[in-house]
Amino acid sequence: MIVGHATPPSCPGISPPRYPFELAAGWTAVKVADGLTSPRGLVVDNRGRLLIVEKGLGISQHTVDVNGCVTSTRTLVSMTSLNHGIYLGVDGRTLYASSASDVLRWAYNPEDGNTDGSPDIMVSGMASEDHVTRTLIIPPHRPDLLVVSHGSNSNLDYATSDSATARAIVKVFNISTVPNGGYNYASDGWNAGYGLRNEVGLAFDGNNMLWGVENSSDQLTRDVNGTLTDIHTDNPAEELNYLGDVTVPNDAWYGYPTCFTIWGPDASIVSTTDAHELDVGEQFVMAPNETFDDNTCAHVSMPPRLTFQAHTAPLDAKFDSPKYENLFVTMHGSWDRDPPVGYKMVAVPFTRVQDGSYVPVAPANSKNGYIDVFYPPNEGQCSAATCARPVGLVFDAAGRLYMTSDTSGEVFMLSGSG
């Protein structure tokens, strides 16, 4: 995947990693930056500079040397409302970033690394409660389209069963012409799927088809005829969803806030037709009844293509272009599970099948569909005070993979052979 770019053992002037980590065979990693304020999403410009959203501060710009180490840092945009999303236009001359409520656009000069003038509002009117990160992505073959994700406003946001609420959804906007004041998120654009609780990580495969990773719900119970079972430790699964071609509307419903996905089969989650325990990757409801049960989910909801362990909190996703053999996913880590899980970066092996489409190698009912690449020595003892919390990912032109860790304020550079 990444060949001919040796990782230095350390970067000049950069302190050692705050917390220990381990790596998959064939991988190396070095810390390249420290002291950032909650670094989240990041991009690389045409001159190899890193542009990083520092939550609550704005966008910082980092020059790197031939080894990939950061050599200088400055503030590019001071804007405290920016919190996660960032993207560069296909030509590298337009910079997009998001707050909880708006998507903004600046003219960007990659020669000197400066923005030009005040930003334009591209999209506005987004809700500002609970899940407030707005991931941004542009299809490589359609630079006139901007994709924006919007999570739910609570753990169980029941109003989102109606896509018109414009939460728990991914939407697409044509940015070749933008109305004064920007598009209204709820009433403009078209859907790229809804019933997606918090689809934070988005990535296009080699056919320009969109994939998303979803943070599912917390503290779930299963209520069958008044018998209540706490199932939250191992359910519901986090999800890898296929959203497909964003140039046309996708009005498919992916289940939230009614249908959730099995990670840990449980005696309380049994089919109402033949009494078998539902398997990994199948969908279930919290309280089946005569009008809507698990079997209903199988008929009306779009299930994930693959599942991740419950509460690992996937936050970003990047394919290893141009091969598209792996989708790399950051796992921010759990807050409501004992023992904790996540706090790592994984690779989901992909393959190209006979019809030319890209799919995960593992079947949808697999628990082994991904490989730990960057991970803590003792995942079950992790917290924000003891482990890195991976967030953003980006490949540079040399094929090096940069990764932010927000709570530790660090940036790492990873390289793998093959």
Side-chain angles (χ1 to χ4, degrees), residues 225-247:
N225 298 323
T227 300
L228 199 67
T229 304
D230 182 347
I231 59 170
H232 90 275
T233 298
D234 288 321
N235 288 295
E238 316 285 42
E239 299 182 1
L240 172 61
N241 291 305
Y242 176 75
L243 305 181
D245 184 359
V246 301
T247 67

Side-chain angles (χ1 to χ4, degrees), residues 337-376:
R337 187 185 191 279
D338 187 15
V341 290
Y343 301 87
K344 59 189 175 183
M345 189 268 286
V346 305
V348 180
F350 265 67
T351 188
R352 199 170 192 184
V353 294
Q354 189 172 4
D355 67 1
S357 62
Y358 292 88
V359 299
V361 170
N365 66 346
S366 175
K367 280 191 169 185
N368 302 300
Y370 53 97
I371 302 159
D372 291 353
V373 174
F374 176 107
Y375 55 97

Side-chain angles (χ1 to χ4, degrees), residues 7 23 37 53 96 154 159-160 189 220 270 283 289 297 339 342 395:
T7 302
L23 297 165
T37 300
V53 173
Y96 301 86
S154 62
T160 61
L220 290 197
V270 173
Q283 293 191 308
N289 56 52
C297 291
F395 281 102

